[in-house]
Structure formats: structure tokens, C-alpha cells
Amino acid sequence: MSIPSGAPAVAPRVPEAVHRRRWAILGVLMFSLLIVVLDNSILNVAVKTIASPAPTGIGATQSELEWAINSYTLVFAGLLFTAGLLGDRIGRKKVLLAGILVFGIGSGLAALSTSPGELITWRALMGFGAAFVMPATLAVLMNVFERDEQPKAIGIWAGSVGLGIAIGPITGGVLLEHFWWGSIFLVNVPVVIVALIAMVLLVPDSRDPNPGRVDPLGVVLSIVGLVLLVYGIIRGGELASFADVTVLAPLIGGLLVLTGFVWHEKRSSHPSIDISYFRKPAFSAAVAAIALVFFALMGVTFFSAFYLQSVRGYSALESGLLILPLAVAQMLFAPRTRLVVDRFGARAVCTAGMLFVAAGLAAFALFDADTPLWVLCLVFFVQGTGMAHIMPPVTVAVMQALPRERAGSGSAINNTFRQVGGALGIAVLGSVLSTVYRSDMEGHLGGVPAGARDAAGESIEATLGVAEKLGPAGRPLIAAAHDAFIGAMHVTALGSAAVALVGAAVVAAFLPGRPPAATPEVSEERVLQS
């Protein structure tokens, strides 16, 4: 990767003792990150079980299930930036240990929840812990690898994110087939204990040696602004409309607060983040690419779960297995992306990756209820390949634009844009899916009792639930629901692909091209010393 303009020409050397165990440290960081990413994807396959009455589940309503997911997202997104700043200031290892410990405690309590309210509360606590884990893993990585090895390490780190997203549904399906619903959370506890021991023994601490004065106003503005913005996005997805006052008020309020945050940071003598970095086209293009690709990908992940389970009739475990090609592609290509970037440049590689993602998303517009399985697997593999050639280069561009001592801030920016982009993708594309589906179903609900008609048109799951209660008379309703959902999925898929094409245009215009030949001075020094 080329070094962005303004980055320090020579980064501080990594201590030799740390350098020798860098790959073991990366393994611990990946393990910690995997826990957080995997658990969030596990919950998506357990919602039906949790909605069942006791003792199978806890009788959660649709709204309560959504908040069991969204409480995590809201706290996680709101605290990411602050968590990165704290890591730079008090030490990334301390923040990482505290975050994984809180996440483990929240997991244990969530597993023992006896009511939806308890589950929502403990999921929020898990989000609090996760907010301190994710940016810390990337910040530690930047401080244990020399600059020439950072692209390779980031590629492996990014591959672990894809692995977590894909194997989460598989793990959840296996646990739900053999144990009670709380096992999807309780399984985290022994894993967290192992991770804590490994961190204490292997991970070195690091922080900004000159953090400067605290910027309390900036911290508060960032938290309030992000929480309001993400809440508005989530609320818009729930209502399938962004015109409601309960959506517009937090959205506008969040944007105003974040505007105030930027204004304050530009004028502060001790800012939490140097806003001038966003004036660099390569840096801004990289964070925009992160947000856009997760906007498109999280949207399609949302509707593909319903397509596979509600339309095609696959179980949670089978649906998870079908998404494995996405993880395999990321694990194969993400660690090797740096080699392609060295040859062709970040601009060409990321543009091609975005086009791959767009093609994979557009392919969903051709799917029907009988599309062969091998086609599904191929499309997921194409999407994973595209992701593998986007995330490592843009993450490297963001992280190497900032000095190593500000790695926590850089990681927080990277993850905040990803989280907000993903939440916006689910909300906006989910709203499109819901609106088109409701419109298509309006003419097919004549035979449904008046009291159940409104509920039957809300979603494919609601329609199928009503059809099941109607018995043989509900069979035409099932066929109509499948047709309406596939039509809505086609529209949403094309919208997702259009967003990915916008991302391709952004990276093609602003990311750097092929880098000049590297001079591996640090690597040669290491060889001479060993």
C-alpha cells in the first residue's frame, strides 16, 4: 500500500520481544474479534426460538426481538469512537481486557434472561463491552507489526470478520438443535475466559505517549450524536418509513450534534480527532467505501436470510451452511490482497472488488423459488471475493493515514463508519423490501379475517403465520407471499447493487493508484539482527 500524504515517514520501531511473537498476538486478537462478530450473527437465527412461549423461549414479541438486536447495535455504535480514544489514552490492552470481560459477563446474564426486558438490557451490556473490543484489536495490531507487514496482518484480521459473520448462523443452528436458546450466549463465557488468559500472557500494552488534554465536550458530542443518528436509522427500519416524527427528530438531532462535534473539533486546541484527515481524498474515500460496502452487504444479508428460510424452506443451520462460500472466499483472498494491491494499486483492486460485490447483489434480482443451490453458493463466493479485495486495502488506507500512537482513533473511525453504514443498509433496504412486499400483498388478503389482515401484510413471516392458522384455505396465501417477497427482493437487490456501484465510483476516483516500489529497510534490519 502506498503511504498517504501527511503520514509520518518513519514509524516508531516495534520492540524486538513484541515483534517475535506478533503472529501469536494476531491470533489472540482474531479470537477476541471472532467472539464479538460471531455472537451478533448467531442471534439472527435464534429469533424464532426466543419468540416461542416458555419453556422453549421467553415469548418475545416482534418489537422486543428487534430491540434485543438493536440495543446491542445502538450502544456499540455510540461508544466506538470513545472506546478508541480511551485506548489511545489509558492503554489498548487495558481497554481490550475490560471490554472482553464486560462482554463475557453480559453474555452469561443474557443466557439466564427470563424476560424480553432482561434480554434487551444484557444485550446492551454486551454491546458496551464489544465497543471496546473491536477498535482495540485493530489498534493493537498496528502497534505490533511494522508498517511493511501491516497490510498482510490487516488482511488476516479482515478475514476473521468474514469468518465470524458466516459461521455464526451455523454455530447458532447447531446449538439450538441440541440445547436451549440461552446456549447461544452461554457458549461465550468459557471462550472469553480463554481469551482473557491469552491476552494477559501475550498481548503487549501500548498507548499514545503524548495524549494531550482530554476533550470532554468532544466525547459527549460524539456519543450523543452517534446514538441519536443510529436510533433514528433503527426506528426508520422498524416503521419502514423515514417520514415519521419519531424517525426524523433523532435523525436530524443526531446530524446537528455531529455537525457541532466537527465544528468543535476544528476549533479545539486539543481535539479528539484531527478533522483535517478528512480533507485527504484517499482517507475520505476509504471511510466512504467502508460505509457503502457494508450498507449494501448488510441489506442483502438481511433479506437473504428470509429468502433462504421463509421462501426456500431451509433450516437455520442449512441457511448458515449456504453462506459458507462467502467466508471461504474472504479467508482465501483477504490475507493475499496486499500482493494484488502491490501490483495493481488500491484504486484498481478496490474498484474491482466493489464491482464484484455489485454483481453478486444484482444476481439476487434473478433468483426465484427454484434457483439451483450451486448458483446461490457461487453468488455468495463472488460477494466474499469482492469483500476480500475491499476491506483490507481501505482499512490499511485509514490506519496508515494516522500516526501509530493514534491507532485507537483510526480504528474507531473505521469501525464507526462500518457500523453506521451497516445499520443504515438494514434500515433503508429493509424499508424498501417491506414497502414493496406490502404493496404486492394488498390484493391477496381478501380471504383473511379482518382482524388479522393488517398483521398478515406486514412481512412474509407474518403472512405465513396467518396462512398456517387458516389451514388448507391458506395455501394460496403462501404462494402469493412467496411471489410478493421474491418481487420485493428483486427491487431491493437492485438498490443494493446501485449503492455498491456508487462505492466503485468513489474508490475509482479518489483512492491512490499503483504504489512506487517499496524499500524494505525495516525488514532487512530485522534479518540482520536475527
Side-chain angles (χ1 to χ4, degrees):
M1 291 292 297
S2 59
I3 299 172
S5 59
V10 180
R13 289 286 303 277
V14 175
E16 188 62 31
V18 173
H19 180 79
R20 286 173 181 166
R21 62 177 193 270
R22 63 197 184 283
W23 297 111
I25 294 169
L26 178 60
V28 176
L29 298 177
M30 288 174 57
F31 190 57
S32 307
L33 182 64
L34 190 62
I35 299 169
V36 174
V37 176
L38 183 147
D39 186 83
N40 210 28
S41 59
I42 279 180
L43 183 59
N44 293 328
V45 304
V47 289
K48 288 185 179 180
T49 306
I50 296 172
S52 303
T56 303
I58 52 176
T61 65
Q62 180 67 27
S63 176
E64 288 168 337
L65 287 172
E66 288 174 354
W67 274 107
I69 297 171
N70 293 337
S71 62
Y72 179 100
T73 302
L74 192 63
V75 176
F76 181 73
L79 289 176
L80 272 172
F81 185 72
T82 302
L85 293 176
L86 282 176
D88 286 343
R89 180 169 292 277
I90 68 174
R92 288 129 195 166
K93 180 176 182 177
K94 296 182 183 71
V95 165
L96 186 57
L97 287 169
I100 201 74
L101 178 62
V102 170
F103 184 85
I105 293 171
S107 298
L109 293 171
L112 302 176
S113 298
T114 57
S115 69
E118 288 182 15
L119 179 60
I120 292 168
T121 300
W122 302 134
R123 283 283 296 167
L125 183 63
M126 292 171 66
F128 184 94
F132 287 84
V133 173
M134 185 166 277
T137 59
L138 188 52
V140 171
L141 181 155
M142 297 300 291
N143 280 272
V144 299
F145 284 90
E146 298 288 5
R147 193 177 185 86
D148 60 331
E149 282 189 324
Q150 287 171 359
K152 180 180 180 180
I154 287 174
I156 297 171
W157 179 89
S160 69
V161 175
L163 177 63
I165 292 171
I167 69 173
I170 300 172
T171 306
V174 171
L175 289 171
L176 291 172
E177 283 188 3
H178 296 91
F179 305 101
W180 100 112
W181 70 268
S183 62
I184 65 171
F185 299 116
L186 195 62
V187 71
N188 291 333
V189 176
V191 179
V192 163
I193 292 171
V194 172
L196 285 169
I197 295 170
M199 285 179 202
V200 170
L201 295 176
L202 289 173
V203 176
D205 203 2
S206 61
R207 62 178 179 175
D208 187 346
N210 299 298
R213 291 163 55 196
V214 180
D215 178 23
L217 180 57
V219 169
V220 171
L221 288 174
S222 70
I223 294 174
V224 173
L226 286 170
V227 167
L228 285 173
L229 179 64
V230 174
Y231 175 81
I233 292 169
I234 290 172
R235 183 65 177 158
E238 285 180 343
L239 299 178
S241 170
F242 284 80
D244 191 273
V245 66
T246 60
V247 177
L248 288 174
L251 277 178
I252 295 172
L255 290 172
L256 288 174
V257 173
L258 290 175
T259 301
F261 169 73
V262 172
W263 182 87
H264 168 73
E265 295 299 291
K266 289 174 70 174
R267 286 156 179 77
S268 175
S269 60
H270 50 285
S272 298
I273 180 64
D274 188 348
I275 300 298
S276 65
Y277 285 111
F278 286 92
R279 295 175 188 157
K280 302 173 185 176
F283 183 87
S284 294
V287 294
I290 291 169
L292 289 169
V293 74
F294 269 86
F295 179 101
L297 195 72
M298 293 306 291
V300 77
T301 301
F302 174 77
F303 67 67
S304 66
F306 289 102
Y307 169 70
L308 293 173
Q309 295 184 45
S310 301
V311 177
R312 302 298 296 263
Y314 296 117
S315 69
L317 178 58
E318 290 168 336
S319 299
L321 289 170
L322 285 171
I323 302 176
L324 261 183
L326 187 146
V328 170
Q330 290 210 45
M331 288 186 293
L332 282 175
F333 297 116
R336 298 172 176 82
T337 302
R338 75 193 190 286
L339 303 175
V340 188
V341 172
D342 287 342
R343 182 169 183 179
F344 299 105
R347 180 190 302 153
V349 172
C350 289
T351 302
M354 280 287 191
L355 293 176
F356 266 66
V357 170
L361 295 170
F364 273 87
L366 305 175
F367 287 2
D368 55 31
D370 302 309
T371 301
L373 287 183
W374 70 266
V375 176
L376 297 180
C377 292
L378 178 62
V379 168
F380 281 124
F381 187 83
V382 168
Q383 287 181 330
T385 302
M387 285 287 291
H389 288 85
I390 298 167
M391 296 313 299
V394 296
T395 302
V396 170
V398 171
M399 297 305 296
Q400 290 194 344
L402 276 71
R404 179 179 279 166
E405 57 269 18
R406 303 300 300 274
S409 300
S411 180
I413 293 169
N414 178 76
N415 287 295
T416 299
F417 273 82
R418 179 170 66 181
Q419 191 67 22
V420 171
L424 196 58
I426 293 173
V428 173
L429 297 176
S431 298
V432 172
L433 183 77
S434 178
T435 301
V436 177
Y437 177 81
R438 288 178 183 180
S439 175
D440 289 349
M441 283 301 297
E442 282 179 1
H444 300 279
L445 300 175
V448 178
R453 197 169 297 163
D454 288 342
E458 285 184 359
S459 66
I460 186 171
E461 283 298 315
T463 307
L464 295 178
V466 171
E468 187 178 349
K469 293 177 182 177
L470 293 175
R475 288 176 185 170
L477 193 59
I478 294 175
H482 287 173
D483 290 341
F485 182 85
I486 289 173
M489 182 181 75
H490 290 170
V491 174
T492 310
L494 292 175
S496 303
V499 172
L501 288 175
V502 171
V506 169
V507 296
F510 298 110
L511 280 188
R514 184 176 178 178
T519 54
E521 297 173 4
V522 174
S523 300
E524 289 174 5
E525 254 186 275
R526 292 285 187 194
V527 172
L528 291 172
Q529 289 177 351
S530 60

